[in-house]
Amino acid sequence: MAESLTNDNQATVVAPSNIAFIKYWGARNLRRAVPVNPSISMSLTECVSRCTAQWDTGRGQHEVLLGDGDGNLAPAPEEFAVRVRGHLNFLRRWAGVGGHFRIATENSFPSAAGIASSASGFAALTLAVTRALGKHLDLPTASSLARLSGSGSAARSVVGGFVEWPVGRSDEACYARVLAGAEHWDLYDVVAVVDRGPKSVSSLDGHRRARTSPFFRTRQRRIPQRLETVREAIANRDFETFSEIVEAEAIDLHCIAMTSQPPIFYWRPATLAVLAAVRTLRADGVPACSTIDAGANVHVICPASSEPQVTAALEAMPEVEQLIRDRVGTGPIFDHDHLF
Ligand code: DP6
């Protein structure tokens, strides 16, 4: 992580979103975001959240603002502000300080649409707030604190490259580790946005319902072997093996969602059209695979060599509203460019 750029108890962090290859879906302790199974992801470059935090001992309450990307700030919607204030109070208790925070945050991509805006948002918030308090966190602490925002996937967004988030022997030992740096393997994530709107059911509700699916246990039995295969495939840059598992894992997650009580259908007709297009690309010899988080949008993962063909194929699809060409990234940075 780059050097501290704090000034007057203020810090700005740009933290990446991440895309999970083996996913977090179902919690042992949902409130503390302790997952049932370990997950593996890669941190991204383009899909990021920028957060500025200012700590003020004279301030009477927290202020939470949302940026629109054009330099305009407005009060954040109440539901989001409540989550942020909850995390600010937690971080304040953790640090043993009083006072309140002024927070501004903005995303470079559509929020709450299966591109893990909570992951990047809460990772950026955690790092900016703790740095505004003058703290320099090691990876276990940063990851655990981000996780305790309630957005478990934020535990993986405090660092770059290829990341594993094990379950850990205890709540305290539940934090992310780096499997390989970003320079290890230049993988792309071409995100086919087919629905810009927020997802129909939150990930939190998805975790809650996951165990009601008859397929929950089946997937859990597959996880240890899948983790090992994906770890090895990343180590060997073996895209063929990697892609088989990554796509199967995403389909399993959505089978669980669709068979939960009550069922959750994240996919839209356009989601299926993109899945089919990726299968066609593969049949034509273009290495690529699909994965989907809790939303309708498809993340098409491919090596740098096939990214132009993948992008061209997806660009030609009328179902695709927007394409985000993203790739593995080096992780959060502290920045001078404050939001206020
Ligand atoms: C499908 O509870 O971390 O993306 O707080 O909404 O980001 P948010 O979700 P979280 O669950 C993540 C669910 C997932 C899979 C994953 O990223 O591992």
Side-chain angles (χ1 to χ4, degrees), residues 20 23-25 83 118-119 151-153 156 199 203 207 253 293-294:
K23 296 181 190 286
Y24 161 38
W25 199 245
R83 267 189 92 179
S118 319
S151 171
S153 49
R156 301 186 306 243
K199 57 194 164 206
S203 302
H207 294 305
L253 185 152
D293 277 349

Coordinates of all heavy atoms in Angstrom, one line a residue, residues 20 23-25 83 118-119 151-153 156 199 203 207 253 293-294, ligand 1:
A20 N -15.2 -12.8 -7.2 CA -14.9 -14.1 -6.5 C -15.0 -15.2 -7.6 O -15.9 -15.3 -8.4 CB -15.9 -14.4 -5.4
K23 N -17.0 -18.6 -4.2 CA -17.7 -17.5 -3.6 C -18.2 -17.8 -2.2 O -18.3 -18.9 -1.7 CB -19.0 -17.3 -4.5 CG -18.6 -16.8 -5.9 CD -19.7 -16.5 -6.8 CE -19.3 -16.3 -8.2 NZ -18.7 -15.0 -8.5
Y24 N -18.4 -16.7 -1.5 CA -19.0 -16.6 -0.2 C -20.5 -16.6 -0.4 O -21.0 -15.6 -0.9 CB -18.5 -15.3 0.5 CG -19.3 -14.8 1.7 CD1 -19.8 -15.7 2.6 CD2 -19.4 -13.5 1.9 CE1 -20.5 -15.2 3.7 CE2 -20.1 -13.0 3.0 CZ -20.7 -13.9 3.9 OH -21.4 -13.4 5.0
W25 N -21.1 -17.7 0.0 CA -22.6 -17.7 -0.1 C -23.1 -18.6 1.0 O -23.2 -19.8 0.9 CB -23.0 -18.3 -1.5 CG -24.5 -17.9 -1.8 CD1 -25.5 -18.7 -1.9 CD2 -25.0 -16.6 -2.0 NE1 -26.7 -18.0 -2.3 CE2 -26.4 -16.7 -2.3 CE3 -24.4 -15.3 -2.0 CZ2 -27.2 -15.6 -2.6 CZ3 -25.2 -14.2 -2.3 CH2 -26.6 -14.4 -2.6
R83 N -25.9 1.9 7.4 CA -24.9 0.9 7.4 C -23.5 1.5 7.7 O -22.7 1.0 8.5 CB -24.8 0.2 6.1 CG -25.6 -1.1 6.0 CD -25.4 -1.8 4.7 NE -24.3 -2.8 4.9 CZ -23.9 -3.6 3.9 NH1 -24.4 -3.5 2.7 NH2 -22.9 -4.5 4.1
S118 N -20.3 -3.0 -2.4 CA -20.1 -3.0 -0.9 C -18.7 -3.4 -0.5 O -18.1 -2.9 0.4 CB -21.1 -3.9 -0.2 OG -22.3 -3.9 -0.7
A119 N -18.2 -4.3 -1.3 CA -16.8 -4.8 -1.0 C -15.8 -3.6 -1.1 O -15.0 -3.3 -0.2 CB -16.4 -5.9 -2.0
S151 N -20.1 -6.6 5.2 CA -19.9 -7.0 3.9 C -18.7 -7.9 3.9 O -17.5 -7.4 3.8 CB -19.7 -5.7 3.0 OG -19.2 -6.1 1.7
G152 N -18.9 -9.2 3.9 CA -17.8 -10.1 4.0 C -16.8 -10.0 2.9 O -15.6 -10.0 3.1
S153 N -17.3 -9.8 1.7 CA -16.4 -9.7 0.5 C -15.4 -8.5 0.7 O -14.4 -8.5 0.0 CB -17.1 -9.6 -0.8 OG -18.1 -8.7 -0.7
R156 N -11.7 -9.1 1.3 CA -10.8 -9.5 0.2 C -10.4 -8.2 -0.6 O -9.5 -8.3 -1.4 CB -11.5 -10.5 -0.7 CG -11.9 -11.8 -0.1 CD -12.4 -12.8 -1.2 NE -13.4 -12.1 -2.0 CZ -14.7 -12.5 -2.1 NH1 -15.1 -13.6 -1.4 NH2 -15.6 -11.9 -2.8
K199 N -29.7 -4.9 -7.4 CA -30.2 -6.2 -7.5 C -31.5 -6.4 -6.7 O -31.8 -5.6 -5.8 CB -29.1 -7.2 -6.9 CG -28.6 -6.8 -5.5 CD -27.4 -7.6 -5.2 CE -26.6 -7.0 -4.1 NZ -25.2 -7.3 -4.1
S203 N -27.4 -9.4 -0.9 CA -26.5 -10.6 -0.6 C -26.8 -11.1 0.8 O -26.8 -12.3 1.1 CB -25.1 -10.3 -0.7 OG -24.7 -9.8 -2.0
H207 N -27.5 -14.9 1.7 CA -26.8 -15.7 2.7 C -27.8 -16.3 3.7 O -27.6 -17.5 4.0 CB -25.8 -14.8 3.5 CG -24.7 -14.2 2.7 ND1 -23.8 -15.0 1.9 CD2 -24.2 -13.0 2.6 CE1 -22.9 -14.2 1.3 NE2 -23.2 -13.0 1.7
L253 N -23.9 -21.6 -7.3 CA -24.4 -20.5 -6.4 C -25.8 -20.1 -6.9 O -26.7 -20.0 -6.0 CB -23.5 -19.3 -6.4 CG -23.8 -18.2 -5.5 CD1 -22.6 -17.4 -5.0 CD2 -24.9 -17.2 -6.0
D293 N -22.0 -12.7 -9.7 CA -22.3 -12.6 -8.3 C -23.8 -12.4 -8.1 O -24.6 -12.9 -8.9 CB -21.5 -11.3 -7.8 CG -20.0 -11.7 -7.5 OD1 -19.7 -12.9 -7.4 OD2 -19.2 -10.8 -7.2
A294 N -24.2 -11.8 -7.0 CA -25.6 -11.6 -6.7 C -26.2 -10.5 -7.5 O -26.4 -9.4 -7.0 CB -25.7 -11.4 -5.2
Ligands
DP6_1 C1 -22.2 -13.4 -4.5 O1 -22.1 -10.2 1.9 O2 -19.9 -9.7 0.8 O3 -20.6 -11.6 -4.2 O4 -22.0 -6.9 1.1 O5 -23.4 -7.2 -1.0 O6 -20.9 -7.1 -1.1 P1 -22.1 -7.5 -0.3 O7 -22.1 -9.0 -0.2 P2 -21.3 -10.0 0.7 O8 -21.5 -11.4 -0.2 C2 -20.8 -11.5 -1.4 C3 -21.6 -12.5 -2.2 C4 -21.0 -12.7 -3.6 C5 -19.9 -13.8 -3.6 C6 -18.6 -13.3 -3.2 O9 -18.2 -12.1 -3.5 O10 -17.8 -14.1 -2.6

